Amino acid sequence: MAETYNDTRDRLQVYFNRTAAKTWERLTSDAPVSRIRQTVREGRDGMRARLLSALPQDLSGARVLDAGAGAGSASIELAKRGAEVVAVDISESLLEVARRRTPRELAPQISYCTGDMLSARWGSFTHVFAMDSLIHYNATDIALALDKLSARTSDKIVFTVAPKTALLSAMHLSGKLFPRSDRSPAIVPVREATLGQALSALGRRTPRSLGQEARGFYISHALELCP
């Protein structure tokens, strides 16, 4: 039986909240890490900057969903631009890290919320920022997730997928990013064309590529979906 969105989400919650919470807290800090994890850190930093560059520099008056906020790096940058940020993650452990790291002057602009990033209870948004929070899902589930978010978003959704490349497939078959005890649930490589077809079937526009970041063990493809 194929795994559902809810099944994957629940496994991710256990992983990020319990199994590897300390690992990801360290990875998202400036603490020394292994050479392999350093490439992941650099890749994530580059991807965050790439996605942020697709959004306005002045977000004053905008309400932005940070879908899969994790340790809060993007939420803080969005708040610096003036946005009201709803930072949602399934891991309360990582959100506690985010709260500790948030500068006091930006705290009133960011609401850290534990739960499903797709839930309608978070309300409507100007933009959605979803970095590496959809990479564990197949193209159909990603399209359905974007469809739900699009219904409540007036402007851009910027997000990432794991590109379907021979290199990435080989790395995830043979390369072991983390020790077995704290390895994350599988990343699902997705073709951009396949995702576009799935979105078209739901009456949504085809996403536009914003390019890729490839740093060692980190490979991710940035896209934007406009209304």
Side-chain angles (χ1 to χ4, degrees):
M1 182 181 295
E3 187 168 66
T4 67
Y5 169 86
N6 288 345
D7 292 333
T8 303
R9 180 201 60 202
D10 292 347
R11 288 195 302 110
L12 290 168
Q13 183 175 27
V14 172
Y15 170 74
F16 285 107
N17 212 34
R18 303 176 189 172
T19 309
K22 290 297 183 183
T23 299
W24 280 90
E25 179 178 356
R26 188 176 185 85
L27 183 69
T28 57
S29 71
D30 56 4
V33 291
S34 70
R35 180 180 59 82
I36 289 175
R37 291 182 183 180
Q38 180 62 28
T39 67
V40 176
R41 179 185 284 171
E42 292 170 359
R44 285 174 57 82
D45 289 346
M47 179 54 78
R48 187 182 310 109
R50 183 182 293 270
L51 290 180
L52 286 169
S53 71
L55 297 179
Q57 284 295 317
D58 185 358
L59 288 169
S60 301
R63 191 168 190 262
V64 181
L65 172 65
D66 186 359
S73 298
S75 296
I76 291 169
E77 292 304 314
L78 291 164
K80 286 179 179 178
R81 296 187 184 188
E84 174 194 347
V85 184
V86 180
V88 179
D89 201 276
I90 54 175
S91 172
E92 178 59 27
S93 298
L94 286 179
L95 290 181
E96 281 300 322
V97 174
R99 292 183 185 100
R100 293 198 302 269
R101 292 179 179 174
T102 301
R104 182 175 299 179
E105 66 273 16
L106 296 178
Q109 293 172 235
I110 307 174
S111 300
Y112 289 111
C113 308
T114 306
D116 188 337
M117 61 189 176
L118 303 184
S119 175
R121 66 180 167 133
W122 312 125
S124 299
F125 302 95
T126 313
H127 301 287
V128 172
F129 183 101
M131 186 180 113
D132 294 349
S133 52
L134 295 170
I135 60 174
H136 302 283
Y137 302 97
N138 61 39
T140 298
D141 282 342
I142 294 173
L144 289 169
L146 292 170
D147 183 54
K148 288 182 179 180
L149 292 172
S150 293
R152 297 183 285 115
T153 305
S154 61
D155 209 314
K156 287 184 183 180
I157 298 175
V158 293
F159 65 101
T160 61
V161 298
K164 196 171 184 64
T165 65
L167 176 59
L168 185 62
S169 297
M171 286 170 61
H172 284 280
L173 283 173
S174 61
K176 305 306 181 184
L177 178 58
F178 295 124
R180 186 168 300 279
S181 61
D182 63 3
R183 195 174 305 148
S184 67
I187 289 171
V188 181
V190 170
R191 294 188 190 280
E192 183 180 351
T194 302
L195 177 59
Q197 291 167 1
L199 282 165
S200 294
L202 295 171
R204 298 294 177 184
R205 296 179 62 176
T206 299
R208 185 176 78 89
S209 174
L210 299 173
Q212 295 186 12
E213 290 289 328
R215 310 279 183 96
F217 271 69
Y218 182 90
I219 303 177
S220 195
H221 187 183
L223 300 108
E224 66 177 8
L225 188 63
C226 297

